């Protein structure tokens, strides 16, 4: 079975440019997560969708970040405009159900460098 | 509030030696506990999880973890480490949007 699929795997962009990260969750999973991983802050939950609806976006750092999930098989995380401090690994993850204890399955990440 | 502490930032063991990675948690109710592994340049892969029942949990790649409620711990163990086990290991508590990850322990394996 295919896991969580993310694209691009690597992106280098200039400050001020728009960045769009894409994610295809595991088929049948109805919860989707975007995480950011940095050396300084570790893994941070940015936003959580359930049944395509954003449930918790309290982790989104600022208005430059936005996320959408137009259907059950696709989500995007957009940064506009990008800044060097946005350089990080962005993980998409998915799970079944909504309760605590559901296993979260991660994609391989999108490695973003903003110069 | 729930939280996870991994006291060891970096551990080095010799290949073939035993391994124990420590994890302490704080959680108000029955904890759901996980161990993930992250190889360089990769995403996080689930090693094992504990929800209830037997406190000794077996996972993939020969790993196991023991839940000790009295110590609020969920330590990861492996009797004989292989060079391919070199990676970052994350303990986590909760689940879904309530998942809290530890800071991770980086494992180096010496030949």
């Amino acid at each position: 079975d295919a896991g969580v699929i993310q694209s691009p795997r690597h992106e280098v962009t200039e400050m001020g440019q728009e960045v769009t990260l894409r994610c295809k969750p595991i088929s049948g999973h109805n919860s989707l997560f975007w995480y950011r991983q940095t050396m300084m802050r570790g893994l941070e939950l940015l936003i959580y969708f359930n049944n395509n609806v954003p449930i918790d976006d309290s982790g989104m750092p600022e208005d430059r970040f936005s996320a959408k999930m137009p259907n059950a098989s696709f989500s995007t995380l957009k940064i506009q405009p990008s800044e060097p401090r946005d350089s990080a690994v962005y993980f998409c993850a998915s799970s079944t159900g909504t309760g605590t204890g559901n296993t979260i399955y991660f994609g391989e990440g999108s490695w973003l460098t903003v110069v | 509030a729930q939280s996870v502490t991994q006291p060891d930032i970096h551990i080095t063991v010799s290949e073939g030696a035993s391994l124990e990675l420590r994890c302490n948690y704080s959680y108000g109710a029955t904890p759901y506990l996980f161990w993930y592994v992250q190889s360089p340049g990769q995403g996080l892969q689930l090693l094992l999880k504990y929800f209830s029942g037997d406190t000794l949990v077996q996972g993939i790649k020969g790993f196991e973890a023991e839940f000790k409620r009295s110590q609020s711990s969920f330590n990861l163990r492996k009797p004989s480490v292989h060079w391919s086990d070199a990676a970052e290991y994350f303990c986590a508590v909760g689940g879904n949007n309530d998942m809290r990850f530890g800071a991770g322990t980086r494992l180096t394996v010496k030949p």
Side-chain angles (χ1 to χ4, degrees), chain A residues 67-96:
Chain A
K68 294 182 179 179
M69 191 166 186
N71 57 63
S73 58
F74 184 67
S75 176
T76 59
L77 177 67
K78 187 174 293 186
I79 308 172
Q80 166 62 23
S82 58
E83 297 182 2
R85 61 194 168 115
D86 302 330
S87 298
V89 185
Y90 291 82
F91 288 104
C92 180
S94 70
S95 76
T96 60

Side-chain angles (χ1 to χ4, degrees), chain A residues 1 4-5 8 11 17 20 24 26 34-35 39 59 61 68 88 90-91 98 102-103 108 114:
Chain A
D1 287 341
V4 177
I5 299 172
E11 176 144 354
Q17 296 299 305
T20 299
K24 176 178 168 56
I26 293 172
W34 282 101
Y35 283 86
M39 288 290 291
K68 294 182 179 179
Y90 291 82
F91 288 104
T98 58
N102 286 301
T103 301
E108 294 195 328
V114 183

Side-chain angles (χ1 to χ4, degrees), chain A residues 9 31 33 35 37 43 45 48 56 91 95-108 111, chain B residues 2 27 32 34 36 38 40-46 49 51 90 94-99 101-103:
Chain A
R9 287 295 316 278
S31 293
F33 311 83
Y35 283 86
Q37 185 180 38
L43 271 165
L45 177 64
Y48 158 54
D56 180 3
F91 288 104
S95 76
T96 60
T98 58
T100 299
N102 286 301
T103 301
I104 295 177
Y105 297 87
F106 285 79
E108 294 195 328
W111 302 69
Chain B
Q2 58 187 20
Y27 196 74
Y32 297 91
F34 307 79
Y36 284 86
Q38 184 180 26
Q42 301 295 315
L44 279 72
Q45 180 185 20
L46 180 69
K49 59 187 178 184
F51 288 173
F90 292 92
N96 271 11
N97 65 317
D98 207 21
M99 182 85 94
F101 287 87

Side-chain angles (χ1 to χ4, degrees), chain B residues 39-110:
Chain B
S39 298
Q42 301 295 315
L44 279 72
Q45 180 185 20
L46 180 69
L47 282 176
L48 48 79
K49 59 187 178 184
Y50 170 79
F51 288 173
S52 64
D54 193 346
T55 56
L56 185 63
V57 181
Q58 301 297 320
I60 62 171
K61 305 184 179 186
F63 285 92
E64 66 178 25
E66 186 171 12
F67 169 61
K68 293 185 177 180
R69 184 185 297 274
S70 61
Q71 299 178 17
S72 296
S73 70
F74 189 56
N75 294 349
L76 183 71
R77 301 193 295 247
K78 186 169 185 178
S80 178
V81 170
H82 189 262
W83 64 266
S84 61
D85 293 325
E88 187 99 16
Y89 291 81
F90 292 92
C91 182
V93 64
N96 271 11
N97 65 317
D98 207 21
M99 182 85 94
R100 302 297 172 97
F101 287 87
T105 298
R106 184 159 60 92
L107 174 65
T108 298
V109 180
K110 293 191 302 184

